[in-house]
Amino acid sequence: MDVKIAPDWKAILQPEFNQPYFAELTQFVRNEYATHRVYPRGSNIFHAFDMCPFDKLRVVIIGQDPYHGEGQAHGLCFSVGDGVPFPPSLQNIFKEVSDDIGIPTPRSGNLDRWAEQGVLLLNAVLTVRAHEPTSHAGKGWERFTDAVVREIAWRKEGVVYMLWGSYAQKKAAMVDGTKNCILRTVHPSPLSVYRGFFGCRHFSKANDYLRSIGKEPIVW
């Protein structure tokens, strides 16, 4: 696994790349790509970091692991490539954006446009076998993405953390809630969306907070 990652992120995360667990994770991932169909494609594993340079980061959204269907995952949590039908969770996200701030549902589910504005769309686990959800859980990715959140929390204040579901909310323990904005609700999947995701108004709340500290809001 060649670590192709934005230079500022590479400098920040180099100590993790040098850890023995990351060498083991790299070997596991290389073997998986060699012997199974794995998503996203290798060049997109760190796409979230490439699209959202550290100095621009203003919002963190944490997913669980990549979409496991054909042609869906491309390295940003909840996002799909241009022309790919919206998975149910993404449909629900767009519905809440529309209900919250009145933006109509876009034609593309590609969230690069969010990332380019400073939204880190980070899955807790960065790879997955085709049609086998959570198949790469417990292999080291969680330790790596915990380190990512710790580095953000240590180096930056005034960041919005949008944590949807218990899996993402575990990361809140690493963030000082008095110096950042932590927004929690259930996951946007069809199984839980009616238990609090619809009506959470996280998108307007995020922008209200960013404006309150003198930062530009996100164009969702």
Side-chain angles (χ1 to χ4, degrees):
M1 182 173 60
D2 297 320
V3 179
K4 297 177 181 177
I5 189 169
D8 58 354
W9 278 112
K10 187 172 184 179
I12 290 166
L13 297 172
Q14 192 62 53
E16 290 303 305
F17 298 143
N18 293 339
Q19 292 281 338
Y21 87 87
F22 199 85
E24 293 175 10
L25 172 62
T26 296
Q27 189 57 48
F28 166 77
V29 171
R30 282 180 172 153
N31 185 63
E32 285 288 290
Y33 275 90
T35 57
H36 297 84
R37 182 171 294 183
V38 176
Y39 300 128
R41 69 172 183 261
S43 59
N44 276 342
I45 292 173
F46 293 102
H47 187 56
F49 301 98
D50 290 332
M51 294 304 298
C52 178
F54 187 82
D55 65 343
K56 290 185 66 175
L57 186 149
R58 292 179 283 161
V59 178
V60 177
I61 298 176
I62 297 174
Q64 188 164 341
D65 63 347
Y67 293 126
H68 55 85
E70 178 71 34
Q72 293 179 317
H74 71 120
L76 305 181
C77 70
F78 299 109
S79 179
V80 293
D82 294 327
V84 177
F86 302 165
S89 291
L90 185 57
Q91 291 180 32
N92 292 334
I93 289 168
F94 285 150
K95 182 181 187 307
E96 178 59 23
V97 171
S98 180
D99 291 346
D100 185 10
I101 54 180
I103 294 177
T105 299
R107 285 178 290 183
S108 173
N110 189 331
L111 301 182
D112 281 355
R113 61 186 181 277
W114 291 5
E116 289 168 346
Q117 298 177 74
V119 181
L120 180 66
L121 292 148
L122 179 67
N123 277 312
V125 175
L126 300 188
T127 54
V128 69
R129 279 189 194 177
H131 313 301
E132 295 184 40
T134 70
S135 51
H136 286 185
K139 304 298 184 182
W141 281 128
E142 294 93 339
R143 180 172 171 179
F144 174 73
T145 53
D146 279 355
V148 172
V149 175
R150 274 197 306 272
E151 290 291 337
I152 296 168
W154 180 60
R155 295 167 183 265
K156 277 183 180 279
E157 297 178 1
V159 174
V160 181
Y161 293 83
M162 300 167 75
L163 305 178
W164 303 333
S166 59
Y167 205 88
Q169 288 170 23
K170 291 175 184 176
K171 306 281 193 195
M174 294 174 278
V175 179
D176 186 343
T178 67
K179 298 178 180 179
N180 300 277
C181 176
I182 301 176
L183 302 174
R184 300 176 176 88
T185 190
V186 298
H187 194 275
S189 77
L191 296 174
S192 57
V193 70
Y194 287 101
R195 292 192 281 111
F197 186 82
F198 287 153
C200 70
R201 301 185 64 83
H202 276 191
F203 302 95
S204 60
K205 288 176 181 177
N207 280 350
D208 289 346
Y209 176 79
L210 291 171
R211 290 189 192 96
S212 77
I213 59 172
K215 294 184 179 182
E216 286 291 314
I218 303 296
V219 180
W220 300 107

